[in-house]
Amino acid sequence: MKYTPLFLLVSTMAMSCSHKNHEPLAVIPQPSQVEQKSGFFIINDSTRMVLETPDQRVRKAAIIFIDDLRKKQSLNLTLDEGGKSSGINTIHLKLVSPEETGKEGYVLESGRKGINISSGTPAGLFYGLMTIEQIALTANQDGGSVTVPAMKVEDSPRFDWRGMHLDVCRHFMPVEAVKKYIDYLALYKFNHFHWHLTEDQGWRIEIKKYPKLTSVGAWRDSTMVGNFSSTPLKYDGKRYGGFYTQEEARDIVRYAADRFITVIPEIEMPGHAQAAIAAYPELGVTGEKVGVKCEWGISPYIYMPSEKTFSFLEDVLTEVMAVFPSEYIHIGGDEAIKDQWKESPGVQALIKELNLKDEEELQSYFIHRMEKFLNAKGRSIIGWDEILQGGLAPNATVMSWRGEKGGIAAAKMDHNVVMSPGNYCYFDHYQAKPVDDEPLAIGGYLPLDTVYAYNPVPKELTAAEAEHILGVQANVWTEYIPDFRQVEYMIFPRLLAMSEVAWTQPGDKNQDLFHAKVLRQVNLFNKLGVNYSETGMPPRPE
């Protein structure tokens, strides 16, 4: 059996298909194996989606696929539930033993009669459908039929955690924008959405026991204009904010789950707490009344490590857990400026009472307490790599953002790790040069090929230690991203590179092929109305 990259399938299409354009297929992430065959299948309005297994998640996946092709490709497929054979002109979905494909893998076979997709799980069937959807949406045809080359695809992901993050605190994104973000993640086979919900500049999730978190903490009086390094700082003078009700958040969680994406909420502690302290000053160290932060950067306001604060956070997390069923709750832990702790007689007395060495160990105590609470509720914590400082909580998972050092240390301590180093994974950085021609960004330079080159498993780890690398995640911080159109600009096309980093084995990656596929994705971008970055795209062949 000979396996070939998808772009070689064009030779088969050229011999057997009368369509004018035979450019490379643009399936991203690159599947594990593709076997070339002769012939092709045409999806048209007479094509039936056949479900052999009466599974509600499979049914929902099929409906999502049918709706997407109707809206974006003007194709009107019909759903046939309980079909026992593929028949003619069908896309046939079948659940098989998980041992055959793995929990997220799938086998896709297309030929003259139709397409068969099999998987051990509904998630795998969904990913097979996303492969077909990409073929359809990258086709030159604006509507009507779509040609799918005859092939056999055997595919499964490299990592269990394939994540994207979105900060909605610095700039709020409405519900429909968040759902569109999730649509993009689903199309490129991501399975974790890290939702950054609390910050110095805004608290974005309704907590019924503490209504001031949203009536006060969700709104700032003004927003700085221009770069944070500019002096003097300038402000727009406009009240700004927004928040998600718990029902809206539940709706987004369900929407993501239908697309096999787990939503990971982030509730920051002990730092990045100014919005919460603005709502409830007694949670702070000084007790002073302060507003929600109007500037970017890190606030010195930090939670007072008191029983009152711990009760508050436990109450908040109890409501959060009722909305978000994810195994993991992200507790932040990063950039906690401890000057107020150092200057507080009460905090210093607590450090002595607990027989702690310093403020770093006090933060570790803080995180330990919250982990114990969450573990007792059947949940696990994940936090930025600063949670290593002062001693890592017993069951914590580390998200390594300040390079890979924290992730390496955690893996060597037998803790699980999600790699997210800023120099490869921060999509708020500039993606093209000269940066003066780009929209204002926070700084840094992260072009497409640098993202694509990343390998989340550090060479410093042994094979056993490398098993602790759950996967990889890219992050979108929105200080300089005021709306969703700008979010799209910053993630496209880099999202596609991260997709292959997360899904595709290193030996199956090919930068030249990837470039060709990205260029073919322009048809898909246009059909979806994506505001992609042309300057961030790979060079076009001359």
Side-chain angles (χ1 to χ4, degrees):
M1 182 179 291
K2 182 180 180 181
Y3 294 99
T4 61
L6 279 176
F7 77 104
L8 292 182
L9 291 171
V10 69
S11 59
T12 299
M13 292 180 67
M15 291 184 293
S16 59
C17 178
S18 61
H19 283 243
K20 294 181 180 180
N21 198 322
H22 308 304
E23 293 177 281
L25 294 175
V27 175
I28 294 174
Q30 176 67 24
S32 306
Q33 296 179 322
V34 181
E35 180 186 1
Q36 177 180 338
K37 295 186 176 182
S38 62
F40 58 93
F41 172 64
I42 296 178
I43 304 175
N44 55 36
D45 286 347
S46 298
T47 303
R48 292 178 299 122
M49 175 76 70
V50 178
L51 309 186
E52 182 171 320
T53 310
D55 182 284
Q56 285 303 308
R57 298 202 72 190
V58 175
R59 183 178 186 276
K60 186 64 178 179
I63 291 172
I64 290 170
F65 175 80
I66 290 171
D67 285 348
D68 287 349
L69 290 197
R70 177 178 54 81
K71 293 174 183 176
K72 304 303 181 183
Q73 194 63 32
S74 299
L75 276 167
N76 294 292
L77 281 64
T78 57
L79 185 63
D80 182 358
E81 300 184 60
K84 295 299 181 183
S85 62
S86 60
I88 298 175
N89 199 11
T90 59
I91 300 174
H92 185 248
L93 303 183
K94 182 179 181 180
L95 284 172
V96 295
S97 170
E99 286 75 23
E100 292 185 38
T101 62
K103 65 180 182 179
E104 292 184 295
Y106 65 93
V107 176
L108 187 158
E109 296 185 83
S110 59
R112 292 181 178 87
K113 292 183 177 180
I115 299 171
N116 293 322
I117 304 174
S118 60
S119 176
T121 63
L125 293 177
F126 181 76
Y127 297 137
L129 288 173
M130 291 302 98
T131 294
I132 297 301
E133 185 164 325
Q134 281 197 41
I135 292 172
L137 296 183
T138 55
N140 281 335
Q141 303 98 300
D142 291 330
S145 63
V146 170
T147 299
V148 178
M151 57 185 172
K152 181 178 181 180
V153 177
E154 297 183 67
D155 199 10
S156 61
R158 181 185 184 190
F159 291 114
D160 289 338
W161 188 297
R162 305 181 301 281
M164 284 291 296
H165 153 287
L166 183 62
D167 164 22
V168 295
C169 299
R170 277 53 176 258
H171 282 102
F172 180 73
M173 303 293 159
V175 169
E176 290 309 310
V178 176
K179 287 183 175 180
K180 185 175 286 189
Y181 195 78
I182 289 168
D183 286 340
Y184 296 151
L185 304 194
L187 188 59
Y188 295 103
K189 302 184 176 75
F190 290 88
N191 66 350
H192 284 81
F193 169 45
H194 174 178
W195 203 7
H196 186 77
L197 290 167
T198 72
E199 229 345 307
D200 298 315
Q201 292 84 6
W203 184 287
R204 302 292 179 225
I205 182 69
E206 176 190 28
I207 302 297
K208 295 182 184 296
K209 190 170 183 177
Y210 300 97
K212 288 183 181 179
L213 287 173
T214 46
S215 66
V216 175
W219 305 91
R220 56 181 182 258
D221 292 336
S222 190
T223 300
M224 62 165 285
V225 177
N227 194 284
F228 188 72
S229 62
S230 302
T231 54
L233 294 178
K234 298 179 181 179
Y235 300 87
D236 63 9
K238 299 176 182 178
R239 188 169 185 261
Y240 181 90
F243 65 93
Y244 307 96
T245 67
Q246 290 189 8
E247 188 49 48
E248 286 173 330
R250 286 190 178 94
D251 179 47
I252 287 170
V253 167
R254 288 190 295 266
Y255 189 88
D258 286 341
R259 289 151 180 82
F260 301 92
I261 292 171
T262 300
V263 182
I264 308 295
E266 181 177 2
I267 307 298
E268 279 271 18
M269 61 186 79
H272 287 291
Q274 184 168 330
I277 293 170
Y280 297 96
E282 63 271 22
L283 298 173
V285 176
T286 67
E288 67 181 293
K289 187 174 181 180
V290 0
V292 176
K293 188 173 176 64
C294 297
E295 307 84 12
W296 313 138
I298 309 168
S299 169
Y301 290 92
I302 188 170
Y303 285 122
M304 179 71 180
S306 64
E307 292 305 313
K308 187 178 190 69
T309 297
F310 289 125
S311 294
F312 163 80
L313 289 172
E314 288 176 1
D315 289 341
V316 167
L317 291 174
T318 296
E319 292 196 33
V320 167
M321 286 186 285
V323 175
F324 298 90
S326 57
E327 173 190 352
Y328 286 101
I329 304 293
H330 203 298
I331 49 79
D334 63 309
E335 298 178 328
I337 297 176
K338 302 177 179 64
D339 292 348
Q340 292 182 350
W341 281 1
K342 292 176 182 178
E343 296 166 2
S344 167
V347 173
Q348 292 303 309
L350 179 63
I351 289 174
K352 290 182 180 179
E353 178 186 335
L354 296 173
N355 197 29
L356 302 175
K357 179 181 177 181
D358 54 21
E359 292 77 21
E360 300 297 339
E361 287 195 359
L362 179 59
Q363 174 166 327
S364 178
Y365 166 80
F366 196 113
I367 300 301
H368 274 67
R369 281 201 54 162
M370 300 319 299
E371 180 186 60
K372 184 177 180 180
F373 172 76
L374 287 169
N375 287 170
K377 304 293 184 180
R379 306 299 184 93
S380 299
I381 69 165
I382 184 169
W384 303 108
D385 54 64
E386 285 97 328
I387 66 174
L388 285 157
Q389 297 168 0
L392 188 57
N395 304 307
T397 295
V398 170
M399 187 168 280
S400 190
W401 74 278
R402 298 178 303 169
E404 295 184 324
K405 184 177 179 180
I408 292 169
K412 287 183 176 293
M413 296 164 61
D414 292 329
H415 283 260
N416 289 337
V417 174
V418 176
M419 282 297 187
S420 191
N423 52 333
Y424 290 102
C425 299
Y426 270 44
F427 288 0
D428 56 335
H429 293 181
Y430 288 104
Q431 60 189 310
K433 288 185 175 181
V435 297
D436 290 344
D437 295 336
E438 289 292 295
L440 180 64
I442 198 167
Y445 176 54
L446 180 57
L448 180 72
D449 287 348
T450 301
V451 178
Y452 191 73
Y454 183 49
N455 185 346
V457 179
K459 296 178 181 178
E460 294 89 337
L461 299 181
T462 66
E465 292 165 347
E467 292 295 318
H468 288 293
I469 306 298
L470 299 181
V472 63
Q473 177 176 294
N475 300 323
V476 181
W477 302 101
T478 60
E479 287 94 334
Y480 300 94
I481 304 177
D483 54 39
F484 192 69
R485 290 285 287 170
Q486 188 62 17
V487 169
E488 291 179 329
Y489 184 91
M490 299 303 284
I491 68 173
F492 284 102
R494 291 183 289 190
L495 177 75
L496 282 61
M498 184 55 61
S499 170
E500 291 214 354
V501 170
W503 181 281
T504 306
Q505 294 291 339
D508 294 328
K509 291 170 63 181
N510 179 296
Q511 182 172 287
D512 291 338
L513 171 60
F514 175 70
H515 282 182
K517 292 190 298 181
V518 172
L519 292 173
R520 285 283 290 114
Q521 290 274 328
V522 170
N523 285 337
L524 181 151
F525 297 163
N526 291 336
K527 289 173 184 177
L528 297 182
V530 173
N531 181 39
Y532 68 96
S533 168
E534 292 188 10
T535 53
M537 294 287 282
R540 296 186 180 276
E542 296 181 1

